[in-house]
């Protein structure tokens, strides 16, 4: 991968998230991440990044945080990291928008995952948690297995389900990435 500097922004009307990609190299992805009041991370449940470390710096607002079952509120100036494989989630814990900078290391294909999930949400193809239907989700989970997984379902089971269900999803026309959502 080459370095990317852009002001390309994507939003998710279901979750209240907004991402402006700032830099992407093989080593990492850096982006501005905002949450509207009542906004939450896609899935609205604890998740893990099996192959990535996440670093978050809060710039404005009150960010609700849960890491490994510990729940707290991060305020401007707070910086914290989530080690690979650690269950966590975030949400807007106030009445004002939250602004953060997030880094994921290594970058892997996280930008594609965000583009796909946010694009599907903009087209009305997700549920109230910002997740698509089972066949589409299986295709996405199979393609982005190092970037994202649900925390409360054993990883081996998720991967087995995605591996066995994704071919049916692809046959039905679902993809892990859609060019129409690309910011490049």
């Amino acid at each position: 991968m080459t370095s990317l500097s852009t002001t390309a922004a994507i939003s998710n009307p279901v979750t209240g998230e907004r991402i402006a990609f700032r830099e992407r190299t093989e080593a990492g992805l850096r982006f501005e991440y905002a949450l509207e009041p009542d906004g939450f991370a896609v899935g609205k449940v604890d998740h893990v990044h099996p192959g990535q470390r996440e670093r978050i710096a809060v710039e404005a607002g009150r960010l609700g945080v849960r890491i490994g079952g510990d729940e707290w509120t991060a305020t401007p100036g707070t910086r914290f990291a989530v080690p690979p494989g650690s269950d966590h989630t975030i949400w807007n814990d106030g009445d004002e928008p939250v602004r953060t900078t997030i880094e994921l290391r290594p970058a892997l294909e996280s930008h594609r995952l965000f583009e796909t999930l946010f694009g599907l949400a903009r087209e009305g193809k997700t549920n109230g948690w910002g997740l698509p239907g089972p066949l589409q989700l299986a295709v996405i989970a199979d393609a982005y297995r190092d970037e994202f997984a649900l925390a409360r379902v054993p990883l081996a089971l998720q991967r087995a389900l995605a591996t066995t269900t994704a071919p049916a999803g692809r046959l039905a026309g679902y993809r892990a990435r859609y060019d129409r959502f690309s910011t490049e």
Side-chain angles (χ1 to χ4, degrees), residues 10 25 41 65 120 135 137 145 151 157 182:
I10 57 175
T25 65
V65 178
L120 291 170
L135 289 178
L137 187 58
R145 59 182 50 220
L157 177 60
S182 178

Side-chain angles (χ1 to χ4, degrees), residues 2-100:
T2 59
S3 179
L4 166 80
S5 286
T6 180
T7 57
I10 57 175
S11 62
N12 186 324
V14 175
T15 62
E17 296 170 286
R18 183 177 181 281
I19 290 176
F21 296 114
R22 293 299 178 227
E23 183 176 21
R24 182 175 46 103
T25 65
E26 200 169 298
L29 175 67
R30 185 173 59 82
F31 53 94
E32 292 175 14
Y33 178 83
L35 277 172
E36 293 299 317
D38 298 320
F40 53 89
V42 166
K44 206 173 189 177
V45 295
D46 290 359
H47 62 277
V48 299
H49 303 288
Q52 298 171 298
R53 170 178 297 280
E54 183 173 16
R55 291 188 176 126
I56 301 175
V58 179
E59 296 162 7
R62 296 175 51 84
L63 182 69
V65 178
R66 186 170 47 245
I67 302 174
D70 292 330
E71 197 169 297
W72 48 284
T73 299
T75 55
T78 304
R79 296 175 181 271
F80 61 96
V82 182
S86 297
D87 59 310
H88 67 286
T89 193
I90 56 175
W91 63 93
N92 186 324
D93 196 28
D95 298 328
E96 301 294 324
V98 169
R99 281 192 350 265
T100 69

Side-chain angles (χ1 to χ4, degrees), residues 11-17 42 114-132 136 140 180-181:
S11 62
N12 186 324
V14 175
T15 62
E17 296 170 286
V42 166
F114 289 126
E115 289 171 344
T116 301
L117 289 173
F118 286 27
L120 291 170
R122 286 191 308 273
E123 290 184 351
K125 296 177 179 175
T126 63
N127 63 21
W129 292 355
L131 295 172
Q136 175 69 78
I140 291 169
R180 69 184 182 270
F181 303 143

Side-chain angles (χ1 to χ4, degrees), residues 166-180:
R170 286 190 287 274
L171 281 174
Y174 296 112
R175 302 289 171 253
R177 177 178 180 265
Y178 298 90
D179 288 340
R180 69 184 182 270

